[in-house]
Coordinates of all heavy atoms in Angstrom, one line a residue:
A245 N -4.1 8.6 -3.4 CA -4.2 7.1 -2.9 C -3.2 6.9 -1.7 O -2.2 7.8 -1.5 CB -3.8 6.3 -4.1
L246 N -3.5 6.0 -1.0 CA -2.5 5.5 0.0 C -1.6 4.6 -0.6 O -1.9 3.8 -1.7 CB -3.3 4.9 1.2 CG -3.9 5.9 2.2 CD1 -5.4 5.9 1.8 CD2 -3.7 5.7 3.5
I247 N -0.5 4.3 -0.1 CA 0.5 3.3 -0.7 C 1.2 2.6 0.5 O 1.0 2.9 1.6 CB 1.7 4.1 -1.3 CG1 2.6 5.0 -0.4 CG2 1.3 4.8 -2.5 CD1 3.9 5.1 -0.8
I248 N 1.7 1.4 0.2 CA 2.3 0.5 1.1 C 3.7 0.6 0.8 O 4.3 0.6 -0.3 CB 1.8 -0.9 1.1 CG1 0.4 -1.0 1.2 CG2 2.6 -1.9 2.0 CD1 -0.3 -2.4 1.3
K249 N 4.6 0.7 1.9 CA 6.0 1.0 1.9 C 6.9 -0.3 2.3 O 6.4 -1.3 2.6 CB 6.5 2.2 2.7 CG 5.7 3.4 2.4 CD 6.1 4.6 3.3 CE 5.6 4.6 4.6 NZ 6.4 4.0 5.6
S250 N 8.2 -0.1 2.4 CA 9.1 -1.2 2.6 C 8.8 -2.0 3.9 O 9.2 -3.1 4.0 CB 10.6 -0.7 2.6 OG 10.7 0.3 3.7
E251 N 8.2 -1.3 4.9 CA 8.0 -2.0 6.1 C 7.2 -3.3 5.9 O 7.2 -4.3 6.8 CB 7.3 -1.0 7.2 CG 8.2 0.0 7.7 CD 8.1 1.3 6.7 OE1 7.7 1.1 5.6 OE2 8.6 2.4 7.2
C252 N 6.4 -3.4 4.9 CA 5.6 -4.6 4.6 C 6.4 -5.7 4.1 O 6.0 -6.9 4.4 CB 4.5 -4.2 3.6 SG 3.3 -5.6 3.4
I253 N 7.5 -5.5 3.5 CA 8.3 -6.6 2.8 C 8.7 -7.7 3.9 O 9.2 -7.4 5.0 CB 9.6 -6.1 2.3 CG1 9.2 -5.0 1.1 CG2 10.5 -7.1 1.7 CD1 10.5 -4.2 0.5
D254 N 8.2 -8.9 3.5 CA 8.5 -10.1 4.3 C 7.7 -10.1 5.7 O 8.0 -10.9 6.4 CB 10.0 -10.3 4.4 CG 10.7 -10.7 3.1 OD1 10.0 -11.3 2.2 OD2 12.0 -10.5 3.0
V255 N 6.9 -9.1 5.9 CA 6.1 -9.1 7.1 C 4.7 -9.5 6.7 O 4.2 -10.5 7.2 CB 6.0 -7.7 7.7 CG1 5.2 -7.6 8.9 CG2 7.4 -7.2 8.1
K256 N 4.1 -8.8 5.7 CA 2.8 -9.2 5.1 C 1.8 -9.6 6.2 O 1.3 -10.7 6.2 CB 3.1 -10.4 4.2 CG 4.0 -10.0 3.0 CD 4.1 -11.3 2.0 CE 2.9 -11.4 1.2 NZ 3.2 -12.6 0.3
D257 N 1.6 -8.8 7.1 CA 0.7 -9.0 8.2 C -0.8 -9.3 7.6 O -1.4 -10.3 8.1 CB 0.6 -7.9 9.2 CG -0.3 -8.0 10.4 OD1 -1.5 -7.8 10.1 OD2 0.1 -8.6 11.4
G258 N -1.2 -8.5 6.8 CA -2.5 -8.7 6.0 C -3.7 -8.1 6.7 O -4.8 -8.2 6.1
I259 N -3.5 -7.7 7.9 CA -4.7 -7.1 8.5 C -5.3 -5.8 7.8 O -6.5 -5.6 7.8 CB -4.5 -6.7 10.0 CG1 -5.7 -6.3 10.8 CG2 -3.4 -5.5 10.1 CD1 -6.5 -7.6 11.2
C260 N -4.5 -5.1 7.1 CA -5.0 -4.0 6.3 C -6.0 -4.4 5.3 O -7.0 -3.6 5.1 CB -3.8 -3.4 5.5 SG -2.9 -4.5 4.5
T261 N -6.0 -5.6 4.8 CA -7.0 -6.0 3.7 C -8.4 -6.1 4.4 O -9.4 -5.8 3.7 CB -6.6 -7.4 3.1 OG1 -6.7 -8.5 4.1 CG2 -5.3 -7.3 2.5
T262 N -8.4 -6.3 5.7 CA -9.8 -6.6 6.3 C -10.4 -5.1 6.6 O -11.5 -5.0 6.8 CB -9.6 -7.2 7.7 OG1 -9.0 -6.6 8.6 CG2 -8.9 -8.6 7.4
S263 N -9.6 -4.1 6.6 CA -10.0 -2.8 6.9 C -10.5 -2.0 5.7 O -11.2 -0.9 5.7 CB -8.9 -2.0 7.6 OG -8.0 -1.6 6.6
C264 N -10.1 -2.5 4.4 CA -10.4 -1.8 3.2 C -11.9 -2.0 2.7 O -12.3 -3.1 2.4 CB -9.4 -2.2 2.1 SG -9.6 -1.3 0.6
P265 N -12.8 -0.9 2.6 CA -14.1 -1.1 2.2 C -14.2 -1.5 0.7 O -15.3 -1.8 0.3 CB -14.7 0.2 2.5 CG -13.6 1.2 2.6 CD -12.3 0.4 3.0
V266 N -13.2 -1.1 -0.1 CA -13.2 -1.4 -1.6 C -12.4 -2.5 -2.1 O -12.1 -2.7 -3.2 CB -13.0 -0.1 -2.4 CG1 -14.1 0.9 -2.0 CG2 -11.6 0.5 -2.1
D267 N -11.8 -3.2 -1.1 CA -10.8 -4.3 -1.5 C -9.8 -4.0 -2.5 O -9.6 -4.8 -3.4 CB -11.7 -5.6 -2.0 CG -12.4 -6.3 -0.7 OD1 -11.9 -6.1 0.3 OD2 -13.4 -6.9 -1.0
C268 N -9.1 -2.9 -2.2 CA -8.1 -2.5 -3.3 C -6.7 -2.7 -2.8 O -5.7 -2.4 -3.4 CB -8.2 -1.0 -3.6 SG -7.7 0.1 -2.2
I269 N -6.5 -3.6 -1.8 CA -5.2 -4.0 -1.3 C -5.0 -5.6 -1.7 O -5.7 -6.4 -1.4 CB -5.0 -3.9 0.2 CG1 -5.4 -2.5 0.7 CG2 -3.6 -4.2 0.7 CD1 -5.5 -2.3 2.2
Y270 N -3.8 -5.7 -2.6 CA -3.6 -6.9 -3.1 C -2.3 -7.6 -2.7 O -1.2 -6.9 -2.5 CB -3.6 -6.8 -4.7 CG -4.8 -6.3 -5.2 CD1 -5.2 -5.0 -5.3 CD2 -5.7 -7.2 -5.8 CE1 -6.4 -4.6 -5.9 CE2 -7.0 -6.9 -6.3 CZ -7.3 -5.6 -6.3 OH -8.5 -5.1 -6.9
E271 N -2.3 -8.9 -2.5 CA -1.1 -9.6 -2.1 C -0.1 -9.8 -3.3 O -0.4 -10.2 -4.4 CB -1.5 -11.0 -1.5 CG -0.3 -11.7 -1.0 CD -0.6 -12.9 -0.2 OE1 -1.9 -13.3 0.0 OE2 0.3 -13.4 0.4
G272 N 1.1 -9.4 -3.0 CA 2.2 -9.8 -3.9 C 3.1 -10.8 -3.3 O 2.9 -11.4 -2.2
E273 N 4.3 -11.1 -3.9 CA 5.1 -12.1 -3.4 C 5.8 -11.7 -2.1 O 5.7 -12.6 -1.2 CB 6.3 -12.4 -4.5 CG 6.9 -13.8 -4.4 CD 7.7 -14.1 -5.5 OE1 7.1 -14.0 -6.7 OE2 8.9 -14.4 -5.4
R274 N 6.3 -10.6 -2.0 CA 7.0 -10.3 -0.7 C 6.3 -9.1 0.1 O 6.7 -8.8 1.2 CB 8.4 -9.8 -1.1 CG 9.3 -11.0 -1.5 CD 10.7 -10.6 -1.7 NE 11.3 -10.2 -0.3 CZ 12.4 -9.5 -0.2 NH1 13.1 -9.2 -1.3 NH2 12.9 -9.3 0.9
M275 N 5.2 -8.5 -0.5 CA 4.5 -7.4 0.2 C 3.2 -7.3 -0.4 O 2.9 -7.9 -1.4 CB 5.3 -6.1 0.2 CG 5.6 -5.5 -1.1 SD 6.4 -3.9 -1.1 CE 5.0 -2.8 -0.7
F276 N 2.3 -6.5 0.1 CA 1.0 -6.2 -0.3 C 1.1 -4.8 -1.0 O 2.0 -4.0 -0.7 CB 0.0 -6.1 0.7 CG -0.5 -7.5 1.2 CD1 0.3 -8.3 1.8 CD2 -1.8 -7.9 1.1 CE1 -0.1 -9.6 2.2 CE2 -2.3 -9.0 1.5 CZ -1.4 -9.9 2.1
Y277 N 0.2 -4.6 -1.9 CA 0.2 -3.3 -2.7 C -1.3 -2.7 -2.8 O -2.2 -3.5 -2.8 CB 0.6 -3.6 -4.2 CG 2.0 -4.3 -4.2 CD1 2.1 -5.6 -4.4 CD2 3.1 -3.4 -4.2 CE1 3.4 -6.2 -4.5 CE2 4.5 -3.9 -4.3 CZ 4.5 -5.4 -4.4 OH 5.8 -6.0 -4.5
I278 N -1.3 -1.4 -2.9 CA -2.6 -0.7 -2.9 C -2.9 -0.2 -4.3 O -2.0 0.5 -4.9 CB -2.7 0.4 -2.0 CG1 -2.6 -0.1 -0.6 CG2 -4.1 1.2 -2.2 CD1 -2.7 1.0 0.5
H279 N -4.0 -0.6 -5.0 CA -4.3 -0.2 -6.4 C -4.6 1.3 -6.2 O -5.6 1.8 -5.7 CB -5.5 -0.8 -6.9 CG -5.7 -0.9 -8.3 ND1 -5.9 0.4 -9.0 CD2 -5.8 -1.8 -9.3 CE1 -6.0 0.2 -10.3 NE2 -5.9 -1.1 -10.5
P280 N -3.8 2.2 -7.0 CA -4.0 3.6 -6.9 C -5.3 4.1 -7.5 O -5.7 5.2 -7.0 CB -2.8 4.1 -7.7 CG -2.3 3.1 -8.5 CD -2.7 1.8 -7.9
E281 N -5.9 3.4 -8.4 CA -7.2 4.0 -9.0 C -8.3 3.5 -8.2 O -9.4 4.1 -8.3 CB -7.3 3.6 -10.4 CG -6.6 4.7 -11.3 CD -5.5 4.1 -12.2 OE1 -5.7 3.1 -12.9 OE2 -4.4 4.7 -12.1
E282 N -8.2 2.3 -7.6 CA -9.3 1.8 -6.8 C -9.5 2.3 -5.4 O -10.5 2.4 -4.8 CB -9.2 0.2 -6.7 CG -9.3 -0.5 -8.0 CD -9.1 -2.0 -8.0 OE1 -9.1 -2.5 -6.9 OE2 -9.2 -2.6 -9.0
C283 N -8.3 2.8 -4.9 CA -8.3 3.4 -3.4 C -9.1 4.6 -3.5 O -9.1 5.5 -4.3 CB -6.8 3.8 -3.1 SG -6.6 4.5 -1.5
I284 N -10.0 4.7 -2.4 CA -10.8 5.9 -2.2 C -10.4 6.8 -1.2 O -11.1 7.6 -0.8 CB -12.3 5.4 -1.9 CG1 -12.4 4.5 -0.6 CG2 -13.0 4.6 -3.0 CD1 -13.8 4.3 0.0
E285 N -9.1 6.6 -0.7 CA -8.4 7.4 0.3 C -9.2 7.6 1.5 O -9.1 8.6 2.2 CB -8.2 8.8 -0.4 CG -7.5 8.7 -1.7 CD -6.8 9.9 -2.2 OE1 -7.6 11.1 -2.1 OE2 -5.7 9.9 -2.6
C286 N -9.8 6.5 2.0 CA -10.5 6.7 3.2 C -9.6 6.6 4.4 O -9.9 7.1 5.5 CB -11.6 5.4 3.4 SG -10.9 3.9 3.7
G287 N -8.4 5.9 4.3 CA -7.4 6.0 5.4 C -7.6 4.9 6.4 O -6.9 4.8 7.4
M288 N -8.6 4.0 6.3 CA -8.8 2.9 7.1 C -7.7 2.1 7.5 O -7.4 1.6 8.5 CB -10.0 2.1 6.8 CG -11.4 2.9 6.8 SD -11.9 3.5 8.4 CE -12.3 1.9 9.3
C289 N -7.0 1.8 6.4 CA -5.7 0.8 6.6 C -4.5 1.5 7.2 O -3.7 0.7 7.7 CB -5.4 0.4 5.1 SG -4.9 1.6 4.0
E290 N -4.4 2.8 7.2 CA -3.3 3.5 7.6 C -2.8 3.2 9.1 O -1.7 2.9 9.4 CB -3.3 5.0 7.4 CG -1.9 5.6 7.6 CD -2.1 7.2 7.5 OE1 -3.2 7.8 7.7 OE2 -1.1 7.8 7.2
S291 N -3.9 3.2 9.9 CA -3.7 3.1 11.3 C -3.6 1.7 11.9 O -3.1 1.3 12.9 CB -4.6 3.9 12.2 OG -5.9 3.5 11.8
I292 N -4.2 0.7 11.0 CA -4.3 -0.7 11.4 C -3.0 -1.5 11.3 O -2.9 -2.5 11.9 CB -5.6 -1.3 10.7 CG1 -6.1 -2.4 11.6 CG2 -5.1 -1.8 9.4 CD1 -7.5 -2.9 11.0
C293 N -2.1 -1.0 10.4 CA -0.9 -1.7 10.0 C -0.1 -1.8 11.3 O 0.5 -0.9 11.7 CB -0.2 -1.2 8.8 SG 1.4 -2.0 8.5
P294 N 0.4 -3.0 11.8 CA 1.3 -3.0 13.0 C 2.7 -2.6 12.8 O 3.3 -2.3 13.8 CB 1.2 -4.7 13.3 CG 0.8 -5.3 12.0 CD -0.1 -4.3 11.3
V295 N 3.1 -2.5 11.4 CA 4.5 -2.1 11.4 C 4.5 -0.6 10.6 O 5.5 -0.2 10.1 CB 5.3 -3.0 10.5 CG1 5.5 -4.3 11.3 CG2 4.7 -3.5 9.2
D296 N 3.3 0.0 10.5 CA 3.2 1.3 10.1 C 3.7 1.6 8.6 O 4.4 2.5 8.4 CB 4.0 2.3 11.1 CG 3.4 3.6 11.2 OD1 2.2 3.8 10.8 OD2 4.1 4.6 11.6
A297 N 3.3 0.6 7.8 CA 3.8 0.6 6.5 C 3.0 1.4 5.5 O 3.4 1.7 4.3 CB 3.8 -0.8 5.9
I298 N 1.8 1.9 5.8 CA 0.9 2.6 5.0 C 0.8 4.0 5.3 O 0.7 4.6 6.4 CB -0.6 1.9 5.1 CG1 -0.5 0.4 4.9 CG2 -1.4 2.5 4.1 CD1 -1.7 -0.4 5.0
R299 N 0.8 4.8 4.1 CA 0.8 6.3 4.2 C 0.1 6.8 3.0 O 0.0 6.2 1.9 CB 2.2 6.9 4.2 CG 3.0 6.8 5.4 CD 2.5 7.8 6.5 NE 3.3 7.8 7.7 CZ 3.3 6.7 8.6 NH1 2.3 5.8 8.5 NH2 4.0 6.8 9.6
Y300 N -0.5 8.0 3.2 CA -1.1 8.7 1.9 C 0.2 9.1 1.2 O 1.2 9.6 1.7 CB -1.7 10.1 2.4 CG -3.2 9.8 3.0 CD1 -3.3 9.7 4.2 CD2 -4.1 9.8 2.1 CE1 -4.7 9.4 4.7 CE2 -5.4 9.5 2.5 CZ -5.7 9.3 3.8 OH -6.9 9.1 4.2
D301 N 0.0 8.9 -0.2 CA 1.2 9.1 -1.1 C 1.8 10.5 -0.9 O 2.9 10.8 -1.0 CB 0.9 8.8 -2.5 CG -0.3 9.3 -3.1 OD1 -0.9 10.3 -2.5 OD2 -0.6 9.1 -4.3
D302 N 1.0 11.6 -0.8 CA 1.5 12.9 -0.7 C 2.1 13.3 0.6 O 2.7 14.4 0.8 CB 0.3 14.0 -1.0 CG -0.9 13.9 -0.1 OD1 -0.9 13.0 0.8 OD2 -1.8 14.6 -0.4
E303 N 2.0 12.3 1.6 CA 2.8 12.6 2.8 C 4.1 11.8 2.9 O 4.9 11.9 3.9 CB 1.8 12.1 4.0 CG 0.7 13.1 4.2 CD -0.4 12.6 5.2 OE1 -0.1 11.5 5.8 OE2 -1.3 13.3 5.4
V304 N 4.5 11.1 1.8 CA 5.6 10.2 1.8 C 6.8 11.1 1.4 O 6.9 11.8 0.4 CB 5.5 9.1 0.9 CG1 6.7 8.3 0.6 CG2 4.4 8.1 1.5
T305 N 8.0 10.9 2.0 CA 9.1 11.8 1.8 C 10.4 10.8 1.5 O 10.3 9.6 1.9 CB 9.6 12.7 2.9 OG1 9.7 12.0 4.1 CG2 8.3 13.7 3.1
G306 N 11.3 11.5 1.0 CA 12.7 10.7 0.8 C 12.6 9.4 -0.1 O 11.8 9.4 -1.0
A307 N 13.3 8.4 0.4 CA 13.5 7.2 -0.4 C 12.2 6.4 -0.4 O 11.9 5.7 -1.4 CB 14.5 6.3 0.3
D308 N 11.3 6.6 0.5 CA 10.0 6.1 0.5 C 9.2 6.4 -0.6 O 8.2 5.8 -1.0 CB 9.3 6.3 1.8 CG 9.7 5.6 3.1 OD1 10.4 4.6 2.8 OD2 9.4 6.0 4.1
R309 N 9.4 7.5 -1.3 CA 8.6 8.0 -2.5 C 8.8 7.0 -3.6 O 7.9 6.9 -4.5 CB 9.1 9.4 -2.9 CG 8.8 10.4 -2.0 CD 8.7 11.9 -2.5 NE 7.8 12.0 -3.6 CZ 6.5 12.4 -3.4 NH1 6.0 12.5 -2.2 NH2 5.8 12.6 -4.5
A310 N 9.8 6.1 -3.7 CA 9.9 5.2 -4.7 C 8.7 4.2 -4.6 O 8.3 3.6 -5.7 CB 11.2 4.4 -4.6
F311 N 8.1 4.0 -3.5 CA 7.1 3.1 -3.3 C 5.8 3.6 -4.0 O 4.8 2.8 -4.1 CB 6.9 2.6 -1.8 CG 7.9 1.6 -1.5 CD1 9.2 2.0 -1.0 CD2 7.6 0.3 -1.5 CE1 10.1 1.1 -0.6 CE2 8.6 -0.7 -1.2 CZ 9.9 -0.3 -0.9
I312 N 5.6 4.9 -4.3 CA 4.5 5.4 -5.0 C 4.5 4.7 -6.4 O 3.4 4.1 -6.8 CB 4.6 6.9 -5.1 CG1 4.5 7.5 -3.7 CG2 3.5 7.4 -5.9 CD1 4.7 9.1 -3.8
E313 N 5.6 4.8 -7.1 CA 5.7 3.9 -8.4 C 5.7 2.5 -8.2 O 5.1 1.8 -9.1 CB 7.0 4.4 -9.0 CG 7.1 5.7 -9.5 CD 5.8 6.1 -10.5 OE1 5.7 5.2 -11.5 OE2 5.2 7.1 -10.5
I314 N 6.2 2.0 -7.2 CA 6.2 0.5 -6.9 C 4.8 0.0 -6.8 O 4.4 -1.0 -7.5 CB 7.1 0.2 -5.7 CG1 8.6 0.4 -6.1 CG2 6.9 -1.3 -5.3 CD1 9.6 0.2 -4.9
N315 N 4.0 0.7 -6.0 CA 2.6 0.3 -5.9 C 1.8 0.3 -7.2 O 1.2 -0.6 -7.7 CB 1.8 1.1 -4.8 CG 2.1 0.6 -3.4 OD1 1.2 0.1 -2.7 ND2 3.3 0.8 -2.9
K316 N 2.1 1.5 -7.9 CA 1.4 1.7 -9.1 C 1.8 0.7 -10.3 O 0.9 0.2 -11.0 CB 1.7 3.1 -9.7 CG 0.9 3.6 -10.9 CD 1.5 4.9 -11.5 CE 1.4 6.1 -10.6 NZ 2.0 7.2 -11.4
D317 N 3.1 0.3 -10.4 CA 3.5 -0.5 -11.4 C 2.9 -1.9 -11.3 O 2.9 -2.6 -12.3 CB 5.2 -0.5 -11.3 CG 5.8 0.7 -11.8 OD1 5.0 1.5 -12.4 OD2 7.1 0.9 -11.7
V318 N 2.7 -2.4 -10.1 CA 2.1 -3.7 -9.9 C 0.9 -3.9 -10.7 O 0.6 -5.0 -11.2 CB 1.8 -4.0 -8.4 CG1 1.0 -5.2 -8.2 CG2 3.1 -4.0 -7.7
F319 N 0.1 -2.8 -11.0 CA -1.2 -2.9 -11.5 C -1.2 -2.5 -13.0 O -2.2 -2.3 -13.7 CB -2.3 -2.1 -10.8 CG -2.3 -2.6 -9.3 CD1 -1.7 -1.8 -8.4 CD2 -2.9 -3.7 -9.0 CE1 -1.7 -2.2 -7.1 CE2 -3.0 -4.1 -7.7 CZ -2.4 -3.4 -6.6
Q320 N 0.0 -2.2 -13.5 CA 0.1 -1.8 -15.0 C 0.5 -2.9 -15.9 O 1.4 -3.7 -15.5 CB 1.0 -0.6 -15.1 CG 0.2 0.8 -14.8 CD 1.3 1.9 -14.8 OE1 2.5 1.7 -14.9 NE2 0.8 3.1 -14.6
G321 N 0.0 -3.0 -17.0 CA 0.4 -4.1 -17.9 C 1.7 -3.7 -18.5 O 2.3 -2.7 -18.2
P322 N 2.3 -4.8 -19.2 CA 3.7 -4.6 -19.8 C 3.7 -3.6 -20.9 O 2.7 -3.2 -21.4 CB 3.9 -6.1 -20.4 CG 2.5 -6.6 -20.6 CD 1.6 -6.0 -19.6
Ligands
F3S420 FE1 1.7 -5.2 5.1 FE2 1.0 -3.9 7.2 FE3 -0.9 -4.7 5.4 S1 2.5 -5.4 7.1 S2 0.1 -6.6 4.6 S3 0.8 -3.2 5.0 S4 -1.1 -4.7 7.6

């Protein structure tokens, strides 16, 4: 799946949602999140984000890897 990283926080441009063919990008309080099971990995959102917040999860390194779990956790029940 693709994930959204810290660059989205308090920016929330939202243009990524218009690029997603399966509507798997959801708005949260301070950032948007990609549903890891709904994402079809088309990559349309990755290049459209003006702050470069979106990446394929397997290409994310370092501290940004925390956002793999952060995106996933949003869609999991308690
Ligand atoms: Fe955030 Fe970029 Fe989308 S700032 S809402 S990931 S276009």
Side-chain angles (χ1 to χ4, degrees):
L246 285 97
I247 62 155
I248 302 183
K249 306 183 281 96
S250 62
E251 291 87 343
C252 183
I253 296 171
D254 296 333
V255 177
K256 298 181 76 179
D257 181 273
I259 190 75
C260 56
T261 63
T262 69
S263 72
C264 181
V266 296
D267 286 333
C268 72
I269 307 177
Y270 295 86
E271 184 171 4
E273 204 164 305
R274 294 186 63 195
M275 60 177 281
F276 281 63
Y277 303 95
I278 296 176
H279 192 304
E281 274 120 48
E282 294 178 3
C283 177
I284 59 169
E285 308 198 314
C286 70
M288 295 296 292
C289 59
E290 188 183 25
S291 54
I292 208 170
C293 175
V295 294
D296 213 16
I298 307 181
R299 283 287 183 279
Y300 282 94
D301 54 4
D302 58 3
E303 292 173 357
V304 169
T305 57
D308 284 342
R309 291 196 62 81
F311 281 86
I312 298 172
E313 287 301 314
I314 289 168
N315 278 250
K316 193 195 290 181
D317 286 349
V318 169
F319 304 101
Q320 279 173 351

